[in-house]
mmCIF file of all heavy atoms in Angstrom:
data_model
loop_
_atom_site.group_PDB
_atom_site.id
_atom_site.type_symbol
_atom_site.label_atom_id
_atom_site.label_comp_id
_atom_site.label_asym_id
_atom_site.label_seq_id
_atom_site.Cartn_x
_atom_site.Cartn_y
_atom_site.Cartn_z
ATOM 1 N N PRO A 1 17.977 13.540 6.246
ATOM 2 C CA PRO A 1 16.565 13.275 6.185
ATOM 3 C C PRO A 1 16.299 11.774 6.373
ATOM 4 O O PRO A 1 17.086 10.924 5.976
ATOM 5 C CB PRO A 1 16.141 13.717 4.791
ATOM 6 C CG PRO A 1 17.409 13.612 3.978
ATOM 7 C CD PRO A 1 18.539 13.951 4.929
ATOM 8 N N PRO A 2 15.208 11.428 7.011
ATOM 9 C CA PRO A 2 14.818 10.007 7.117
ATOM 10 C C PRO A 2 14.499 9.432 5.766
ATOM 11 O O PRO A 2 14.144 10.187 4.819
ATOM 12 C CB PRO A 2 13.613 10.018 8.057
ATOM 13 C CG PRO A 2 13.022 11.405 7.855
ATOM 14 C CD PRO A 2 14.158 12.317 7.602
ATOM 15 N N VAL A 3 14.545 8.140 5.648
ATOM 16 C CA VAL A 3 14.208 7.445 4.443
ATOM 17 C C VAL A 3 12.779 6.827 4.663
ATOM 18 O O VAL A 3 12.555 6.105 5.636
ATOM 19 C CB VAL A 3 15.196 6.332 4.123
ATOM 20 C CG1 VAL A 3 14.753 5.563 2.888
ATOM 21 C CG2 VAL A 3 16.598 6.933 3.948
ATOM 22 N N TYR A 4 11.878 7.144 3.735
ATOM 23 C CA TYR A 4 10.555 6.535 3.788
ATOM 24 C C TYR A 4 10.518 5.434 2.747
ATOM 25 O O TYR A 4 10.733 5.686 1.530
ATOM 26 C CB TYR A 4 9.480 7.566 3.485
ATOM 27 C CG TYR A 4 9.272 8.556 4.629
ATOM 28 C CD1 TYR A 4 9.994 9.774 4.676
ATOM 29 C CD2 TYR A 4 8.390 8.268 5.709
ATOM 30 C CE1 TYR A 4 9.827 10.629 5.721
ATOM 31 C CE2 TYR A 4 8.223 9.143 6.755
ATOM 32 C CZ TYR A 4 8.941 10.314 6.768
ATOM 33 O OH TYR A 4 8.798 11.230 7.783
ATOM 34 N N THR A 5 10.290 4.234 3.195
ATOM 35 C CA THR A 5 10.402 3.095 2.227
ATOM 36 C C THR A 5 9.399 2.023 2.534
ATOM 37 O O THR A 5 9.180 1.654 3.694
ATOM 38 C CB THR A 5 11.836 2.492 2.250
ATOM 39 O OG1 THR A 5 11.904 1.437 1.332
ATOM 40 C CG2 THR A 5 12.229 2.012 3.636
ATOM 41 N N ALA A 6 8.721 1.581 1.497
ATOM 42 C CA ALA A 6 7.779 0.472 1.629
ATOM 43 C C ALA A 6 8.489 -0.799 1.129
ATOM 44 O O ALA A 6 9.281 -0.767 0.203
ATOM 45 C CB ALA A 6 6.524 0.711 0.764
ATOM 46 N N VAL A 7 8.172 -1.900 1.789
ATOM 47 C CA VAL A 7 8.688 -3.208 1.349
ATOM 48 C C VAL A 7 7.507 -4.139 1.202
ATOM 49 O O VAL A 7 6.746 -4.356 2.174
ATOM 50 C CB VAL A 7 9.690 -3.794 2.376
ATOM 51 C CG1 VAL A 7 10.272 -5.088 1.840
ATOM 52 C CG2 VAL A 7 10.803 -2.806 2.672
ATOM 53 N N ILE A 8 7.277 -4.631 -0.003
ATOM 54 C CA ILE A 8 6.228 -5.557 -0.284
ATOM 55 C C ILE A 8 6.787 -6.978 -0.225
ATOM 56 O O ILE A 8 7.694 -7.310 -0.976
ATOM 57 C CB ILE A 8 5.569 -5.247 -1.637
ATOM 58 C CG1 ILE A 8 4.937 -3.885 -1.666
ATOM 59 C CG2 ILE A 8 4.505 -6.339 -1.949
ATOM 60 C CD1 ILE A 8 4.362 -3.460 -3.009
ATOM 61 N N ASP A 9 6.261 -7.745 0.684
ATOM 62 C CA ASP A 9 6.577 -9.178 0.831
ATOM 63 C C ASP A 9 5.711 -9.992 -0.055
ATOM 64 O O ASP A 9 4.531 -10.228 0.269
ATOM 65 C CB ASP A 9 6.455 -9.545 2.329
ATOM 66 C CG ASP A 9 6.634 -11.049 2.604
ATOM 67 O OD1 ASP A 9 6.931 -11.768 1.636
ATOM 68 O OD2 ASP A 9 6.511 -11.442 3.778
ATOM 69 N N ALA A 10 6.228 -10.385 -1.194
ATOM 70 C CA ALA A 10 5.444 -11.183 -2.171
ATOM 71 C C ALA A 10 5.712 -12.642 -1.887
ATOM 72 O O ALA A 10 6.568 -13.293 -2.498
ATOM 73 C CB ALA A 10 5.811 -10.800 -3.572
ATOM 74 N N GLY A 11 4.940 -13.198 -0.949
ATOM 75 C CA GLY A 11 5.118 -14.582 -0.537
ATOM 76 C C GLY A 11 4.312 -15.546 -1.353
ATOM 77 O O GLY A 11 3.557 -15.189 -2.259
ATOM 78 N N SER A 12 4.506 -16.840 -1.036
ATOM 79 C CA SER A 12 3.839 -17.892 -1.825
ATOM 80 C C SER A 12 2.358 -18.039 -1.493
ATOM 81 O O SER A 12 1.627 -18.711 -2.186
ATOM 82 C CB SER A 12 4.558 -19.224 -1.601
ATOM 83 O OG SER A 12 4.595 -19.539 -0.234
ATOM 84 N N SER A 13 1.940 -17.381 -0.397
ATOM 85 C CA SER A 13 0.511 -17.507 -0.015
ATOM 86 C C SER A 13 -0.184 -16.161 0.133
ATOM 87 O O SER A 13 -1.305 -16.112 0.626
ATOM 88 C CB SER A 13 0.387 -18.282 1.300
ATOM 89 O OG SER A 13 1.130 -17.637 2.328
ATOM 90 N N GLY A 14 0.464 -15.100 -0.284
ATOM 91 C CA GLY A 14 -0.155 -13.780 -0.209
ATOM 92 C C GLY A 14 0.904 -12.693 -0.351
ATOM 93 O O GLY A 14 2.098 -12.940 -0.302
ATOM 94 N N THR A 15 0.402 -11.464 -0.490
ATOM 95 C CA THR A 15 1.221 -10.293 -0.750
ATOM 96 C C THR A 15 0.965 -9.211 0.245
ATOM 97 O O THR A 15 -0.185 -8.740 0.368
ATOM 98 C CB THR A 15 1.011 -9.769 -2.194
ATOM 99 O OG1 THR A 15 1.002 -10.837 -3.116
ATOM 100 C CG2 THR A 15 2.075 -8.800 -2.609
ATOM 101 N N ARG A 16 1.989 -8.830 1.018
ATOM 102 C CA ARG A 16 1.781 -7.947 2.181
ATOM 103 C C ARG A 16 2.648 -6.713 2.100
ATOM 104 O O ARG A 16 3.839 -6.814 1.670
ATOM 105 C CB ARG A 16 2.091 -8.718 3.486
ATOM 106 C CG ARG A 16 1.078 -9.830 3.759
ATOM 107 C CD ARG A 16 1.617 -10.888 4.701
ATOM 108 N NE ARG A 16 2.599 -11.727 4.078
ATOM 109 C CZ ARG A 16 2.305 -12.817 3.382
ATOM 110 N NH1 ARG A 16 1.040 -13.165 3.211
ATOM 111 N NH2 ARG A 16 3.258 -13.556 2.874
ATOM 112 N N LEU A 17 2.120 -5.574 2.525
ATOM 113 C CA LEU A 17 2.815 -4.310 2.482
ATOM 114 C C LEU A 17 3.278 -3.883 3.890
ATOM 115 O O LEU A 17 2.467 -3.894 4.826
ATOM 116 C CB LEU A 17 1.924 -3.223 1.913
ATOM 117 C CG LEU A 17 2.454 -1.786 1.995
ATOM 118 C CD1 LEU A 17 3.504 -1.550 0.932
ATOM 119 C CD2 LEU A 17 1.316 -0.764 1.841
ATOM 120 N N PHE A 18 4.565 -3.542 4.008
ATOM 121 C CA PHE A 18 5.088 -2.891 5.206
ATOM 122 C C PHE A 18 5.636 -1.540 4.791
ATOM 123 O O PHE A 18 6.221 -1.412 3.721
ATOM 124 C CB PHE A 18 6.194 -3.740 5.820
ATOM 125 C CG PHE A 18 5.755 -5.083 6.342
ATOM 126 C CD1 PHE A 18 5.652 -6.192 5.469
ATOM 127 C CD2 PHE A 18 5.420 -5.248 7.671
ATOM 128 C CE1 PHE A 18 5.248 -7.411 5.974
ATOM 129 C CE2 PHE A 18 5.020 -6.492 8.168
ATOM 130 C CZ PHE A 18 4.938 -7.567 7.308
ATOM 131 N N PHE A 19 5.471 -0.544 5.644
ATOM 132 C CA PHE A 19 5.951 0.813 5.335
ATOM 133 C C PHE A 19 6.699 1.351 6.563
ATOM 134 O O PHE A 19 6.231 1.238 7.688
ATOM 135 C CB PHE A 19 4.783 1.709 5.017
ATOM 136 C CG PHE A 19 5.150 3.120 4.662
ATOM 137 C CD1 PHE A 19 6.267 3.431 3.877
ATOM 138 C CD2 PHE A 19 4.372 4.197 5.126
ATOM 139 C CE1 PHE A 19 6.597 4.749 3.577
ATOM 140 C CE2 PHE A 19 4.686 5.483 4.817
ATOM 141 C CZ PHE A 19 5.798 5.779 4.072
ATOM 142 N N TYR A 20 7.897 1.866 6.310
ATOM 143 C CA TYR A 20 8.807 2.268 7.417
ATOM 144 C C TYR A 20 9.346 3.680 7.213
ATOM 145 O O TYR A 20 9.575 4.119 6.095
ATOM 146 C CB TYR A 20 10.000 1.311 7.493
ATOM 147 C CG TYR A 20 9.679 -0.134 7.729
ATOM 148 C CD1 TYR A 20 9.498 -1.038 6.683
ATOM 149 C CD2 TYR A 20 9.519 -0.645 9.024
ATOM 150 C CE1 TYR A 20 9.237 -2.371 6.920
ATOM 151 C CE2 TYR A 20 9.244 -1.970 9.267
ATOM 152 C CZ TYR A 20 9.109 -2.836 8.196
ATOM 153 O OH TYR A 20 8.836 -4.157 8.415
ATOM 154 N N LYS A 21 9.671 4.270 8.341
ATOM 155 C CA LYS A 21 10.463 5.494 8.400
ATOM 156 C C LYS A 21 11.832 5.070 8.989
ATOM 157 O O LYS A 21 11.867 4.526 10.111
ATOM 158 C CB LYS A 21 9.842 6.553 9.286
ATOM 159 C CG LYS A 21 10.718 7.785 9.441
ATOM 160 C CD LYS A 21 9.991 8.761 10.386
ATOM 161 C CE LYS A 21 10.867 9.999 10.685
ATOM 162 N NZ LYS A 21 10.186 10.945 11.628
ATOM 163 N N VAL A 22 12.897 5.232 8.232
ATOM 164 C CA VAL A 22 14.225 4.767 8.622
ATOM 165 C C VAL A 22 15.169 5.908 8.812
ATOM 166 O O VAL A 22 15.312 6.749 7.910
ATOM 167 C CB VAL A 22 14.783 3.779 7.599
ATOM 168 C CG1 VAL A 22 16.117 3.207 8.079
ATOM 169 C CG2 VAL A 22 13.793 2.626 7.328
ATOM 170 N N THR A 23 15.846 5.930 9.926
ATOM 171 C CA THR A 23 16.933 6.900 10.174
ATOM 172 C C THR A 23 18.239 6.145 10.119
ATOM 173 O O THR A 23 18.561 5.352 10.997
ATOM 174 C CB THR A 23 16.769 7.591 11.515
ATOM 175 O OG1 THR A 23 15.501 8.221 11.608
ATOM 176 C CG2 THR A 23 17.868 8.655 11.704
ATOM 177 N N PRO A 24 19.052 6.335 9.049
ATOM 178 C CA PRO A 24 20.275 5.604 8.898
ATOM 179 C C PRO A 24 21.306 5.959 10.000
ATOM 180 O O PRO A 24 21.263 7.025 10.594
ATOM 181 C CB PRO A 24 20.798 6.043 7.555
ATOM 182 C CG PRO A 24 19.609 6.604 6.808
ATOM 183 C CD PRO A 24 18.759 7.239 7.892
ATOM 184 N N GLY A 25 22.180 5.006 10.278
ATOM 185 C CA GLY A 25 23.233 5.197 11.276
ATOM 186 C C GLY A 25 23.901 3.892 11.542
ATOM 187 O O GLY A 25 23.555 2.865 10.924
ATOM 188 N N PRO A 26 24.882 3.838 12.454
ATOM 189 C CA PRO A 26 25.517 2.569 12.777
ATOM 190 C C PRO A 26 24.514 1.515 13.228
ATOM 191 O O PRO A 26 24.638 0.340 12.924
ATOM 192 C CB PRO A 26 26.462 2.939 13.944
ATOM 193 C CG PRO A 26 26.751 4.390 13.712
ATOM 194 C CD PRO A 26 25.489 4.986 13.180
ATOM 195 N N TYR A 27 23.469 1.958 13.923
ATOM 196 C CA TYR A 27 22.325 1.086 14.296
ATOM 197 C C TYR A 27 21.075 1.813 13.812
ATOM 198 O O TYR A 27 20.561 2.714 14.486
ATOM 199 C CB TYR A 27 22.301 0.812 15.778
ATOM 200 C CG TYR A 27 21.077 0.031 16.221
ATOM 201 C CD1 TYR A 27 21.010 -1.331 16.031
ATOM 202 C CD2 TYR A 27 20.039 0.657 16.883
ATOM 203 C CE1 TYR A 27 19.920 -2.060 16.491
ATOM 204 C CE2 TYR A 27 18.941 -0.052 17.325
ATOM 205 C CZ TYR A 27 18.886 -1.413 17.121
ATOM 206 O OH TYR A 27 17.770 -2.124 17.561
ATOM 207 N N ALA A 28 20.584 1.470 12.647
ATOM 208 C CA ALA A 28 19.478 2.187 12.023
ATOM 209 C C ALA A 28 18.232 2.168 12.926
ATOM 210 O O ALA A 28 17.901 1.142 13.505
ATOM 211 C CB ALA A 28 19.157 1.599 10.680
ATOM 212 N N GLN A 29 17.593 3.342 13.045
ATOM 213 C CA GLN A 29 16.336 3.424 13.756
ATOM 214 C C GLN A 29 15.163 3.229 12.804
ATOM 215 O O GLN A 29 15.114 3.906 11.750
ATOM 216 C CB GLN A 29 16.222 4.804 14.436
ATOM 217 C CG GLN A 29 17.370 5.116 15.380
ATOM 218 C CD GLN A 29 17.447 4.135 16.528
ATOM 219 O OE1 GLN A 29 16.496 3.901 17.234
ATOM 220 N NE2 GLN A 29 18.641 3.530 16.704
ATOM 221 N N ILE A 30 14.302 2.285 13.104
ATOM 222 C CA ILE A 30 13.272 1.886 12.178
ATOM 223 C C ILE A 30 11.887 1.984 12.846
ATOM 224 O O ILE A 30 11.671 1.379 13.873
ATOM 225 C CB ILE A 30 13.509 0.452 11.671
ATOM 226 C CG1 ILE A 30 14.898 0.353 11.006
ATOM 227 C CG2 ILE A 30 12.418 0.047 10.668
ATOM 228 C CD1 ILE A 30 15.301 -1.081 10.645
ATOM 229 N N GLU A 31 11.032 2.790 12.270
ATOM 230 C CA GLU A 31 9.685 2.976 12.783
ATOM 231 C C GLU A 31 8.699 2.387 11.747
ATOM 232 O O GLU A 31 8.669 2.822 10.568
ATOM 233 C CB GLU A 31 9.371 4.450 13.037
ATOM 234 C CG GLU A 31 7.963 4.715 13.525
ATOM 235 C CD GLU A 31 7.680 6.181 13.659
ATOM 236 O OE1 GLU A 31 8.582 7.002 13.460
ATOM 237 O OE2 GLU A 31 6.465 6.511 13.982
ATOM 238 N N MET A 32 7.863 1.450 12.178
ATOM 239 C CA MET A 32 6.897 0.880 11.261
ATOM 240 C C MET A 32 5.659 1.741 11.181
ATOM 241 O O MET A 32 5.025 2.047 12.196
ATOM 242 C CB MET A 32 6.512 -0.538 11.735
ATOM 243 C CG MET A 32 5.573 -1.259 10.762
ATOM 244 S SD MET A 32 5.129 -2.915 11.375
ATOM 245 C CE MET A 32 6.688 -3.795 11.173
ATOM 246 N N LEU A 33 5.272 2.186 9.990
ATOM 247 C CA LEU A 33 4.142 3.051 9.763
ATOM 248 C C LEU A 33 2.931 2.297 9.212
ATOM 249 O O LEU A 33 1.817 2.714 9.451
ATOM 250 C CB LEU A 33 4.518 4.189 8.810
ATOM 251 C CG LEU A 33 5.714 5.059 9.226
ATOM 252 C CD1 LEU A 33 6.037 6.108 8.170
ATOM 253 C CD2 LEU A 33 5.443 5.717 10.581
ATOM 254 N N ILE A 34 3.157 1.258 8.473
ATOM 255 C CA ILE A 34 2.070 0.365 8.020
ATOM 256 C C ILE A 34 2.528 -1.045 8.333
ATOM 257 O O ILE A 34 3.620 -1.500 7.901
ATOM 258 C CB ILE A 34 1.761 0.495 6.498
ATOM 259 C CG1 ILE A 34 1.194 1.863 6.197
ATOM 260 C CG2 ILE A 34 0.782 -0.596 6.079
ATOM 261 C CD1 ILE A 34 0.878 2.084 4.731
ATOM 262 N N ASP A 35 1.707 -1.766 9.052
ATOM 263 C CA ASP A 35 2.083 -3.102 9.558
ATOM 264 C C ASP A 35 1.306 -4.181 8.807
ATOM 265 O O ASP A 35 0.092 -4.379 9.013
ATOM 266 C CB ASP A 35 1.781 -3.151 11.051
ATOM 267 C CG ASP A 35 2.107 -4.540 11.670
ATOM 268 O OD1 ASP A 35 2.597 -5.405 10.942
ATOM 269 O OD2 ASP A 35 1.861 -4.680 12.909
ATOM 270 N N ASN A 36 2.022 -4.902 7.924
ATOM 271 C CA ASN A 36 1.481 -6.174 7.344
ATOM 272 C C ASN A 36 0.107 -5.994 6.724
ATOM 273 O O ASN A 36 -0.811 -6.762 6.994
ATOM 274 C CB ASN A 36 1.434 -7.206 8.452
ATOM 275 C CG ASN A 36 1.295 -8.622 7.924
ATOM 276 O OD1 ASN A 36 1.621 -8.880 6.766
ATOM 277 N ND2 ASN A 36 0.841 -9.536 8.787
ATOM 278 N N PHE A 37 -0.013 -4.993 5.849
ATOM 279 C CA PHE A 37 -1.301 -4.759 5.200
ATOM 280 C C PHE A 37 -1.442 -5.685 3.976
ATOM 281 O O PHE A 37 -0.543 -5.745 3.152
ATOM 282 C CB PHE A 37 -1.414 -3.316 4.744
ATOM 283 C CG PHE A 37 -2.666 -3.012 3.997
ATOM 284 C CD1 PHE A 37 -3.853 -2.710 4.661
ATOM 285 C CD2 PHE A 37 -2.702 -3.014 2.596
ATOM 286 C CE1 PHE A 37 -5.021 -2.455 3.991
ATOM 287 C CE2 PHE A 37 -3.847 -2.740 1.906
ATOM 288 C CZ PHE A 37 -5.022 -2.455 2.607
ATOM 289 N N GLU A 38 -2.565 -6.351 3.875
ATOM 290 C CA GLU A 38 -2.834 -7.185 2.692
ATOM 291 C C GLU A 38 -4.320 -7.216 2.401
ATOM 292 O O GLU A 38 -5.168 -7.001 3.310
ATOM 293 C CB GLU A 38 -2.314 -8.605 2.874
ATOM 294 C CG GLU A 38 -3.028 -9.431 3.882
ATOM 295 C CD GLU A 38 -2.539 -10.881 3.897
ATOM 296 O OE1 GLU A 38 -2.345 -11.451 2.805
ATOM 297 O OE2 GLU A 38 -2.364 -11.424 5.007
ATOM 298 N N ARG A 39 -4.632 -7.413 1.139
ATOM 299 C CA ARG A 39 -6.016 -7.631 0.718
ATOM 300 C C ARG A 39 -6.170 -9.112 0.434
ATOM 301 O O ARG A 39 -5.679 -9.623 -0.578
ATOM 302 C CB ARG A 39 -6.321 -6.837 -0.531
ATOM 303 C CG ARG A 39 -6.360 -5.350 -0.356
ATOM 304 C CD ARG A 39 -7.610 -4.893 0.409
ATOM 305 N NE ARG A 39 -7.720 -3.460 0.374
ATOM 306 C CZ ARG A 39 -8.494 -2.797 1.223
ATOM 307 N NH1 ARG A 39 -9.176 -3.450 2.134
ATOM 308 N NH2 ARG A 39 -8.614 -1.481 1.163
ATOM 309 N N LYS A 40 -6.816 -9.833 1.339
ATOM 310 C CA LYS A 40 -6.911 -11.300 1.199
ATOM 311 C C LYS A 40 -7.831 -11.706 0.054
ATOM 312 O O LYS A 40 -7.759 -12.838 -0.439
ATOM 313 C CB LYS A 40 -7.361 -11.914 2.519
ATOM 314 C CG LYS A 40 -6.336 -11.737 3.648
ATOM 315 C CD LYS A 40 -6.771 -12.434 4.899
ATOM 316 C CE LYS A 40 -5.674 -12.229 5.973
ATOM 317 N NZ LYS A 40 -6.017 -12.934 7.236
ATOM 318 N N VAL A 41 -8.707 -10.751 -0.337
ATOM 319 C CA VAL A 41 -9.580 -11.025 -1.508
ATOM 320 C C VAL A 41 -9.283 -9.961 -2.546
ATOM 321 O O VAL A 41 -9.281 -8.764 -2.261
ATOM 322 C CB VAL A 41 -11.033 -10.957 -1.085
ATOM 323 C CG1 VAL A 41 -11.933 -11.173 -2.295
ATOM 324 C CG2 VAL A 41 -11.333 -12.026 -0.025
ATOM 325 N N GLN A 42 -9.046 -10.396 -3.786
ATOM 326 C CA GLN A 42 -8.753 -9.481 -4.869
ATOM 327 C C GLN A 42 -10.025 -8.720 -5.297
ATOM 328 O O GLN A 42 -11.124 -9.148 -4.994
ATOM 329 C CB GLN A 42 -8.191 -10.220 -6.067
ATOM 330 C CG GLN A 42 -6.923 -11.024 -5.786
ATOM 331 C CD GLN A 42 -6.494 -11.863 -6.983
ATOM 332 O OE1 GLN A 42 -6.494 -11.390 -8.111
ATOM 333 N NE2 GLN A 42 -6.196 -13.123 -6.732
ATOM 334 N N PRO A 43 -9.834 -7.585 -5.984
ATOM 335 C CA PRO A 43 -11.022 -6.869 -6.507
ATOM 336 C C PRO A 43 -11.934 -7.746 -7.360
ATOM 337 O O PRO A 43 -13.156 -7.460 -7.457
ATOM 338 C CB PRO A 43 -10.401 -5.728 -7.322
ATOM 339 C CG PRO A 43 -9.091 -5.495 -6.671
ATOM 340 C CD PRO A 43 -8.584 -6.852 -6.222
ATOM 341 N N ASN A 44 -11.396 -8.805 -7.970
ATOM 342 C CA ASN A 44 -12.245 -9.681 -8.790
ATOM 343 C C ASN A 44 -12.969 -10.740 -7.946
ATOM 344 O O ASN A 44 -13.687 -11.583 -8.478
ATOM 345 C CB ASN A 44 -11.453 -10.345 -9.894
ATOM 346 C CG ASN A 44 -10.337 -11.274 -9.339
ATOM 347 O OD1 ASN A 44 -10.258 -11.515 -8.137
ATOM 348 N ND2 ASN A 44 -9.528 -11.815 -10.253
ATOM 349 N N GLY A 45 -12.765 -10.660 -6.630
ATOM 350 C CA GLY A 45 -13.487 -11.593 -5.733
ATOM 351 C C GLY A 45 -12.765 -12.873 -5.419
ATOM 352 O O GLY A 45 -13.175 -13.624 -4.558
ATOM 353 N N LYS A 46 -11.611 -13.086 -6.040
ATOM 354 C CA LYS A 46 -10.861 -14.353 -5.790
ATOM 355 C C LYS A 46 -9.886 -14.137 -4.631
ATOM 356 O O LYS A 46 -9.434 -13.020 -4.363
ATOM 357 C CB LYS A 46 -10.115 -14.791 -7.069
ATOM 358 C CG LYS A 46 -11.025 -15.238 -8.203
ATOM 359 C CD LYS A 46 -10.182 -15.777 -9.353
ATOM 360 C CE LYS A 46 -11.086 -16.269 -10.479
ATOM 361 N NZ LYS A 46 -10.273 -16.820 -11.609
ATOM 362 N N LYS A 47 -9.509 -15.238 -4.009
ATOM 363 C CA LYS A 47 -8.539 -15.194 -2.933
ATOM 364 C C LYS A 47 -7.202 -14.729 -3.474
ATOM 365 O O LYS A 47 -6.759 -15.178 -4.538
ATOM 366 C CB LYS A 47 -8.385 -16.587 -2.270
ATOM 367 C CG LYS A 47 -7.351 -16.630 -1.170
ATOM 368 C CD LYS A 47 -7.236 -18.024 -0.624
ATOM 369 C CE LYS A 47 -6.158 -18.119 0.471
ATOM 370 N NZ LYS A 47 -5.989 -19.471 1.003
ATOM 371 N N GLU A 48 -6.531 -13.821 -2.742
ATOM 372 C CA GLU A 48 -5.168 -13.400 -3.126
ATOM 373 C C GLU A 48 -4.189 -14.384 -2.606
ATOM 374 O O GLU A 48 -3.952 -14.450 -1.373
ATOM 375 C CB GLU A 48 -4.946 -11.958 -2.584
ATOM 376 C CG GLU A 48 -3.821 -11.236 -3.333
ATOM 377 C CD GLU A 48 -2.431 -11.646 -2.949
ATOM 378 O OE1 GLU A 48 -1.962 -11.279 -1.857
ATOM 379 O OE2 GLU A 48 -1.804 -12.411 -3.727
#
């Protein structure tokens, strides 16, 4: 079965979500399902 995995990049200037479908193998096949999603403004109205 493929592996469904999200990776959250918690950087110094923002927090971004990537979501992938990965097929393991000698050369893993990687399909991006969510590309660099972020909320630049928090629910409280402040910059993220």
Side-chain angles (χ1 to χ4, degrees):
V3 177
Y4 289 91
T5 180
V7 184
I8 297 175
D9 173 1
S12 57
S13 59
T15 312
R16 293 160 285 274
L17 172 76
F18 295 85
F19 180 40
Y20 299 94
K21 176 183 177 182
V22 183
T23 304
Y27 175 77
Q29 302 299 306
I30 303 173
E31 178 185 357
M32 185 181 288
L33 302 178
I34 294 179
D35 179 2
N36 197 20
F37 177 83
E38 69 175 316
R39 292 286 190 198
K40 295 185 178 181
V41 178
Q42 301 175 47
N44 63 5
K46 293 185 177 181
K47 179 182 177 182
E48 200 282 285

